[in-house]
Amino acid sequence: MVFGLLMVSNIATAQQTIWNNDPAHSQLGFEVKHTNVSRVRGKFDSFHIVAKTSKADYSDAQISLTAQVKSINTGVEMRDNHLRTADFFDVEKFPTLTFKSTRLKKVKKIRGRLTGNLTMHGVTRPVTLDVQFFGIITSPMTKKQVAGFRITGSVNRSDFGIAPQYLPDFIGNTIYITADVEFSPQD
C-alpha cells in the first residue's frame, strides 16, 4: 500500500513515519460468485490500516490491517446476519481479520506486489496482492499530505475454512479483494 511512497523523496525522513487510512475515503471490498450466474459484492465498514516506515526509500514499510468482521455489509441485512454466523465467518469466535505485510516489491513505476500474512477465521495464510499508486497531494481541506492506492487480489475461502459445506458451484471458492485507500501521515 505504501509502494507509491517509494517515489516521493521529498517527504522521506530518517525518523519513523506512520501513515493511517482515512476512513471516509477508504473502502475494503470483496466479490464472490453466487450460483455460477451472478456475483455478490460487499465490504467491511470498520477497518484500520497503518503503514510504518523509517527508511527514505520505504523499503522497510510495515503494513498492517485490522477489520471488524461484524461490520460486513453486502447491502442485504439477512445475508449479512448469515455471514456473521458459524456457517461463514463466526464473528463470535473470530471477530477480526488481519493482514501483516512481510514484503513490498516494486514492479513498475506505479505498481508493486505486497506480500504478507492474512489471518481470517482463525487461519493464517500467506497472500500476495497487487498495488497501484494513484499519487500524493496536499489536501486542500486538511493541508496534509494524502496518498492514494488501490490494492487488489484474491484468496480461496476454502484455505481459511470458511463455509466448507457450500460447494463452489453454489458459492465461489475465489474471493476477489479490492481496497481503495487514502493515507495521511499521523500527527
Side-chain angles (χ1 to χ4, degrees):
M1 292 171 216
V2 185
F3 170 75
L5 301 176
L6 293 165
M7 298 160 290
V8 184
S9 61
N10 65 335
I11 63 172
T13 66
Q15 299 176 357
Q16 185 176 64
T17 303
I18 300 172
W19 295 75
N20 291 293
N21 73 291
D22 176 355
H25 299 103
S26 300
Q27 189 172 61
L28 176 59
F30 61 89
E31 180 178 302
V32 63
K33 275 187 177 179
H34 182 256
T35 62
N36 272 336
V37 295
S38 67
R39 292 181 181 257
V40 171
R41 290 177 181 86
K43 61 182 181 167
F44 293 95
D45 288 331
S46 179
F47 68 95
H48 185 70
I49 305 172
V50 177
K52 297 178 183 180
T53 186
S54 58
K55 290 189 176 181
D57 67 356
Y58 290 85
S59 60
D60 67 336
Q62 298 173 3
I63 297 117
S64 61
L65 167 134
T66 300
Q68 300 301 316
V69 180
K70 69 181 177 184
S71 75
I72 197 164
N73 182 350
T74 65
V76 178
E77 185 178 2
M78 186 172 74
R79 178 173 47 223
D80 296 343
N81 289 336
H82 190 204
L83 290 171
R84 293 179 185 114
T85 71
D87 282 353
F88 289 91
F89 286 102
D90 197 355
V91 299
E92 293 298 318
K93 208 171 182 181
F94 309 107
T96 60
L97 67 86
T98 62
F99 174 83
K100 304 253 186 235
S101 69
T102 56
R103 184 173 186 214
L104 179 62
K105 180 181 178 186
K106 182 178 178 177
V107 175
K108 293 183 179 179
K109 185 176 179 181
I110 62 167
R111 296 191 183 274
R113 302 280 284 170
L114 179 63
T115 302
N117 293 311
L118 176 64
T119 300
M120 185 168 52
H121 201 247
V123 177
T124 302
R125 296 273 189 252
V127 298
T128 300
L129 305 167
D130 294 312
V131 179
Q132 181 180 1
F133 174 57
F134 289 138
I136 192 165
I137 65 164
T138 298
S139 168
M141 295 178 69
T142 65
K143 308 299 183 217
K144 293 182 181 181
Q145 291 180 318
V146 177
F149 298 87
R150 171 166 276 189
I151 301 96
T152 58
S154 64
V155 297
N156 291 327
R157 67 179 169 86
S158 61
D159 290 346
F160 295 90
I162 296 176
Q165 70 278 20
Y166 294 105
L167 296 175
D169 285 345
F170 184 65
I171 297 173
N173 191 41
T174 304
I175 309 295
Y176 300 94
I177 301 164
T178 302
D180 290 299
V181 184
E182 255 187 42
F183 282 104
S184 291
Q186 182 172 302
D187 293 330

